[in-house]
Amino acid sequence: MWEAGVHTVFSLPPEGSQLLDALPECSCVTASDLVVRTVAEIESGDFSYWRRRYTKGVPSLVEALPPNPDGTRPNPIKCAPYLDALQDLVGKSLRLTLSDDELRMRLAMLLLGHGSSYDLEIAAGFVPKEILEGLRTNAPFFEVGVSTGSFSCPLDADDALLEVCQSHLNASCALFPDVCDAVIGLLAARGRYGRVASLLELPGGQRRKNLLLVHASSFLDAGAVDAVRSAACELAPYPGLELAEGHIRLLDAVVGALGERAALTEAVGATISDNAPAELLDLSLFAEARKALGARRPREPLSLDRLDALGRRLLVHIEACGLMAEGRLSAATRLLIANPCDDGGRSVSEALLTIDAEITRLLLCDASSASAQSVERAIDVLSSPELAGLEGYTSCLEVIRAVILSDEGAYPEVEQLVSRAERAGDRLVQALSLVGGTVIDLRRRALARASVRAELAAAVASGAGLGYIARVATLLGEVARFLLGEAPRAGRDDVPQDDLGRASALVRAAMLVEEDVVLFDEGEDMEPPRDAVWLLLVLGEGMGALSARLDEMLPLAWRHALMIARPRWRDEALGAREAPGIDTGPDAAASRHGHGAPIEIRLLGGFSVTVRGQRVPDGELEHRNAKSMLEYLLLRRGATAKRYQIVEQVWPEADYGMGFNRAYQATSTLRAAIAKIDSDLDPFVLSRATKAVSLDMGIIRCDVDEFRACAREAADTGDDARAVAMARRAERLYVGDLYVPPVDATGYVMTTRDELRRLYGDAMVAGSDAALRLGKKRTATRLAMNALTSDDMREDAVVSMVRALRASGRNVEADRQYQRYARRLMQSANRPPSRLLRRAAGIGEERGRRLSDESSVEVTFKERSCAS
């Protein structure tokens, strides 16, 4: 074509450039000439800077990572087009047509993320200058420096990107396992344990698993609890590794405490002397951090000079928790400011400090000090299934956020937390959850329940030595009894004169009769109680007459402090309610918060009827089988049923004449119970013409209807973000199986219960798949686990679970899930798992048949044993 005079444009990989020698005239354009200069040359700290870090100006990556509307830092893990483009580039960067020397160099660069020519010499064994020059010209993805030989690739921006590209890295690591081994040693020497944990499952990385035991505390800080547990269980295969018996015992206890909800014993960490190695001190401090949730007394404080960076972070967290438990919020804030987080909550210790700072900020009603992304990242770190023992910290934050911001959308979630905490859980979470539930009950005017919860919270807090929370609970109990009409007691002399004591004195003075209000002397101390402003804000709105009297009695300086805090409080609460991906229109808000629906009925996980925020006593709904009839009508399409259908469902032993009379008596019972709270509300619509009984759904809101809508949209929508949002909302609504009433003669309720359970599983599977496509691996794992909890024989749920676990790099757990399901399936149906599940588990046909044969042999052996 060239000899014929035709202008020709074609492309060649760099390793084929010698073919150009046959052409006497040609113009060459290299890959470095094609980068997006407006991105590659940016050096500022805004979105363009992060876009440069994640793309290096490579056009396919730039196009796949659109800018955020608010100009903030992007999150590539949640951008599916970017992840697809990145995996494609990594696969092509490690193509087998390259020379072995260049493949080793490129693999080392990808695993290291960034470094220098010296690092490459350690990892790859040599640094040919011609290869570096070729990479600088032909592979801008690695961003090789002109003279320094330094490099930086997009996989350095986030360690999670290593897991995304793991399938492409596996093949190259299998060819050059010594490169992976050398990179792991280099990263461990420089303290990059989070990245090391992501590399240990690669071919070649297994030889370095003894690092998990030598530097266990650092890997625990990176969240690799399961990896450390696995290494501890396989201690024998590591020759030359010698650990003291006390070290192994402490490691086992700490790993169990971080990975499980079980509380620690008092002995753990108590025998470690101050002169012990830093590794043992760090493990001991992890134990102390876990003990804080159980309100255990910490050991004697250590000197910061004796600790490394991880130990100092853990010690600051422990001391900050102690100050917050005593109500010394300002002191805790000063401690946290003096020891700031450098990593934005990416490690466990950083996440703990980030959440501590957020809790103190909320209670002090300060402006936000940490970005919302840092807080959410910290919550995401501690919400990992590997850190189940620390999940209570995020629960504490959820309760405080809902109470301080008055976020009604979070009330159902807090109610679930309170219900769980009342039965079990760490004492700090239990006491704090009960206090949060008390405040919610006060706002909803469920005053009797608020009084009971306050007494229980005070008892739990007192028994755990949490005096500050006990005092708050005692005060809230007095508020509940005051709103119930009980006369308050006059002044108390035993109240400490701290900020909480002064705020409590004002609240108690406001509850006294008007002539006794002067008992609160404004002239004694005009300084506002900074550490208790949150209490005045909580009680200053939504408490009826008490809020009005508090507003009248506020000293001028206190009023000024509240005027500064209250607008900030309201703005943040508004921002929390208008979260992205959730409807925020007036109709959605009314549905979410119950506005426009004065009667709320809950059937999932129990039975309750609430009128204008006040719960109808269950005893009033037990008469005349009213509860059974009400639930039957709510579950019917259109909330309508013929009278004979109601009789057959609720009173099957009665003839129709007697049954019709009983149905009338049941409707009268329900009307009377609701009329005691609001006499203008009539929940029934009766039709003499059609002989039907209907509920007026214009004034009734039922959680089953909302759950069905959310679950169906999660399963049917094509928008992944919407599917995840709806699945999460369905998860919050489905607090338990549908309540089964005393009478279900036709089995209609049980049938609906099974249908809702299946619908819940469908929503969780769809949400898990969507979350995985968005890169939300922890959310995908949790939603898949929810689906398996509802039905452990759902194969699509097992597929989603295995995919999520493998995407998270938790291959051992994925194999365990697959094998457990395969055994159960062989026992119940005598067949192996489907090809789709085997493919998701990464199991070939030959291995799948072998596992199936092994399961078949196991079942046959059990059957023969039972027969004999």
Side-chain angles (χ1 to χ4, degrees), residues 260-261 263 289-296 317 321 325 352 355 359 382 387-400 403 413-438 453 456-458 460-461 464-466 469 473:
E260 303 170 5
R261 292 181 179 274
R290 175 64 180 86
K291 283 183 181 180
L293 280 179
R296 300 285 185 86
H317 162 70
C321 285
L352 293 174
I355 290 182
I359 288 175
L382 295 186
L387 296 167
L390 296 178
E391 186 182 0
Y393 282 110
T394 61
S395 300
C396 293
L397 177 58
E398 290 171 3
V399 171
I400 292 173
V403 169
E413 191 169 345
V414 176
E415 287 283 6
Q416 296 175 35
L417 181 62
V418 173
S419 298
R420 293 198 302 268
E422 286 179 349
R423 296 187 296 270
D426 294 299
R427 288 182 289 180
L428 176 60
V429 183
Q430 186 177 10
L432 197 59
S433 300
L434 289 169
V435 168
T438 301
R453 273 185 176 168
L456 183 57
V460 171
L466 301 170
I469 298 179

Side-chain angles (χ1 to χ4, degrees), residues 482-506:
F482 167 76
L483 296 177
L484 282 170
E486 182 179 328
R489 285 179 272 177
R492 299 174 52 177
D493 299 330
D494 58 341
V495 177
Q497 291 305 306
D498 54 5
D499 283 357
L500 178 60
R502 295 191 295 131
S504 300
L506 175 63

